[in-house]
Amino acid sequence: MFLAESSIQLVPDGTLLLHLLMVVVMVAVVNRTLLRPINKILEDRDKHILGRVADAKKMLKTREEQLAEYTSALRQARSEGYQLLERERAQAVKEKEERVSAFKEESARRVKDELRTTFDQEQKLRGELEGQAEQLSAMITAQILRR
């Protein structure tokens, strides 16, 4: 029995309620003075971080849109440049062909004129040679007949 008398007996009494009330008050005080400000700081930090992440995502999206616009504008400018080069090349080829054609026509005309001049000179010289041949034959005939 001695053992039973020296052991602690837990019997609910008024002090238990007082202890529970003190724990609740301490939790409320600790929550109000320490945990609430810490939680607010953590929430603000999360909001700030999430806001920065959102800003970074917006900036990334804007950069991607600008890059797409730049790429599109660059492709369009290259396409226009190639088209302009092709038009200029086609125009240069056309002008070259026109000049070559004009040169060929001019050359053909000159050759024709030279041939006509040469033919006229040949006819004139032939006429002169025939005249000289007749004179020589007449002279030869006259000399032979005088003998």
Side-chain angles (χ1 to χ4, degrees), residues 4 10 15 23 25 32 36 46 48 67 73 88 91 99 103 105 109 111 114 121 127 136-137 140:
L10 290 176
T15 59
V23 167
V25 168
R32 185 133 178 104
R36 190 176 290 172
D46 287 345
H48 182 70
L67 181 62
E88 291 295 323
Q91 181 67 25
R99 281 192 241 142
F103 181 75
E105 290 174 4
R109 186 188 60 76
V111 167
E114 291 297 322
Q121 288 175 352
L136 283 175
S137 67
I140 293 173

Side-chain angles (χ1 to χ4, degrees), residues 84-94:
L84 178 63
L85 285 174
E86 186 61 29
R87 282 195 302 265
E88 291 295 323
R89 188 193 64 77
Q91 181 67 25
V93 167
K94 182 180 176 184

Side-chain angles (χ1 to χ4, degrees), residues 78-139:
R78 282 182 181 164
S79 175
E80 290 173 1
Y82 291 141
Q83 289 174 357
L84 178 63
L85 285 174
E86 186 61 29
R87 282 195 302 265
E88 291 295 323
R89 188 193 64 77
Q91 181 67 25
V93 167
K94 182 180 176 184
E95 289 176 4
K96 177 185 170 190
E97 289 175 356
E98 288 174 355
R99 281 192 241 142
V100 167
S101 176
F103 181 75
K104 284 181 180 180
E105 290 174 4
E106 179 66 23
S107 297
R109 186 188 60 76
R110 284 184 183 174
V111 167
K112 186 177 177 182
D113 289 346
E114 291 297 322
L115 283 174
R116 187 177 317 129
T117 302
T118 304
F119 182 73
D120 291 344
Q121 288 175 352
E122 179 187 352
Q123 293 299 324
K124 181 180 175 184
L125 288 175
R126 188 171 280 172
E128 288 177 8
L129 286 175
E130 286 177 359
Q132 287 178 359
E134 285 179 18
Q135 286 177 354
L136 283 175
S137 67
M139 280 176 43

Side-chain angles (χ1 to χ4, degrees), residues 9-70:
Q9 291 183 5
L10 290 176
V11 178
D13 61 353
T15 59
L16 180 65
L17 290 177
L18 180 65
H19 284 271
L20 285 176
L21 181 65
M22 286 176 59
V23 167
V24 169
V25 168
M26 286 173 43
V27 166
V29 168
V30 168
N31 189 20
R32 185 133 178 104
T33 59
L34 182 65
L35 296 178
R36 190 176 290 172
I38 290 175
N39 286 336
K40 181 163 178 20
I41 290 171
L42 290 175
E43 286 176 15
D44 290 345
R45 186 174 133 210
D46 287 345
K47 286 180 185 177
H48 182 70
I49 289 171
L50 291 176
R52 306 271 323 238
V53 168
D55 289 344
K57 285 181 181 178
K58 286 179 187 176
M59 290 172 66
L60 183 61
K61 184 178 179 182
T62 302
R63 185 197 60 84
E64 288 174 356
E65 290 173 356
Q66 289 175 342
L67 181 62
E69 287 178 19
Y70 171 76

